Amino acid sequence: MCKGLAGLPASCLRSAKDVKHRLGALLQKSGSCDHGASRGRRDKLVVCQRVSQEEVKKWAESLENLINHECGLAAFRAFLRSEYSEENIDFWVSCEEYKRITSPSQLSPKAKEIYEEFISVQASKEVNLDAGTREETSRNVQAPTAACFDEAQRRIFHLMEKDSYRRFLKSRFYLELARPSACGSGKPKGAKRAADCPSLVPQCA
């Protein structure tokens, strides 16, 4: 827990524990820890010391806000796993990691790995791409650059934005977190608000 936690009001501590319990329970219900160790560091323990109500509300403003926040990404991935459709977010994350590669010698093996896992006709986690984008990406992988998956990633982002993201905002995975907390309600001016309460957002290790 963060420093100074003992100094928070008892009601705030209860609220923080409640938020922690809510997301922890939701992640467990999603079956997010039943996928084995093959997911590697994507499934390492993610600990968010401060997740405010303001931040959670921003997740409803755009998919970009949601998945660029580590705790939002964890909640969205858990939701997708509950629907057995996490391949889209896994592909998007893999593309983000790919674009951060700085060594040219690493581009080709990583590009082929992503292609075989998500795009080829025998892909174990095939994403839904139109034939034109699939063919274009296949050509790009033959001489990979940092941008070779950009169009495919863009299309998958828009697919999630129009479909699964909207369902996520109506699901228990989001609504439980967005639910107003008792922490800070009815408190005098200057008291701790729910937004100031720390919470932990775990993923399975």
Side-chain angles (χ1 to χ4, degrees), residues 153-169:
Q153 185 185 23
R154 185 183 69 82
R155 289 186 177 274
I156 291 303
F157 179 90
H158 287 310
L159 182 64
M160 292 191 294
E161 187 176 43
K162 293 179 179 180
D163 185 21
S164 52
Y165 173 59
R166 295 180 181 180
R167 294 199 307 277
F168 169 78
L169 295 179

Side-chain angles (χ1 to χ4, degrees), residues 11 31 33 36 42 46 54 56-57 61 66 72 78 86 95 119 121 133 162 166 183 185 187 193:
S11 60
C33 295
R42 288 204 297 264
V46 175
E54 284 82 0
V56 172
K57 288 178 182 178
E61 294 175 2
L66 173 67
E86 70 267 31
C95 290
I119 299 177
V121 292
T133 302
K162 293 179 179 180
R166 295 180 181 180
C183 176
S185 60
K187 298 289 183 183
R193 297 175 302 159

Side-chain angles (χ1 to χ4, degrees), residues 42-190:
R42 288 204 297 264
D43 281 342
K44 68 182 179 181
L45 184 66
V46 175
V47 181
C48 298
Q49 295 292 350
R50 295 173 64 83
V51 184
S52 69
Q53 287 294 309
E54 284 82 0
E55 286 173 320
V56 172
K57 288 178 182 178
K58 287 180 181 178
W59 298 351
E61 294 175 2
S62 70
L63 176 59
E64 186 175 11
N65 285 350
L66 173 67
I67 60 181
N68 282 319
H69 189 290
E70 63 177 346
C71 303
L73 177 61
F76 188 51
R77 177 176 270 150
F79 165 71
L80 291 177
R81 284 179 184 165
S82 74
E83 294 195 334
Y84 302 98
S85 60
E86 70 267 31
E87 65 277 357
N88 286 335
I89 193 61
D90 286 348
F91 173 67
W92 185 89
V93 170
S94 292
C95 290
E96 289 296 293
E97 293 173 349
Y98 175 80
K99 288 187 289 188
R100 291 196 290 269
I101 294 176
T102 57
S103 173
S105 64
Q106 295 179 7
L107 286 177
S108 182
K110 183 62 177 178
K112 290 178 180 178
E113 178 185 324
I114 293 174
Y115 180 81
E116 292 300 326
E117 184 175 9
F118 296 104
I119 299 177
S120 77
V121 292
Q122 296 180 334
S124 59
K125 296 163 63 176
E126 184 179 359
V127 292
N128 186 13
L129 293 172
D130 61 274
T133 302
R134 194 178 299 274
E135 290 174 7
E136 176 187 343
T137 305
S138 179
R139 290 192 300 269
N140 291 344
V141 171
Q142 302 308 310
T145 66
C148 73
F149 291 106
D150 282 3
E151 180 60 20
Q153 185 185 23
R154 185 183 69 82
R155 289 186 177 274
I156 291 303
F157 179 90
H158 287 310
L159 182 64
M160 292 191 294
E161 187 176 43
K162 293 179 179 180
D163 185 21
S164 52
Y165 173 59
R166 295 180 181 180
R167 294 199 307 277
F168 169 78
L169 295 179
K170 297 177 182 178
S171 75
R172 71 184 193 278
F173 289 86
Y174 179 73
L175 296 178
E176 285 288 307
L177 294 174
R179 189 175 65 198
S181 170
C183 176
S185 60
K187 298 289 183 183
K189 187 176 181 180

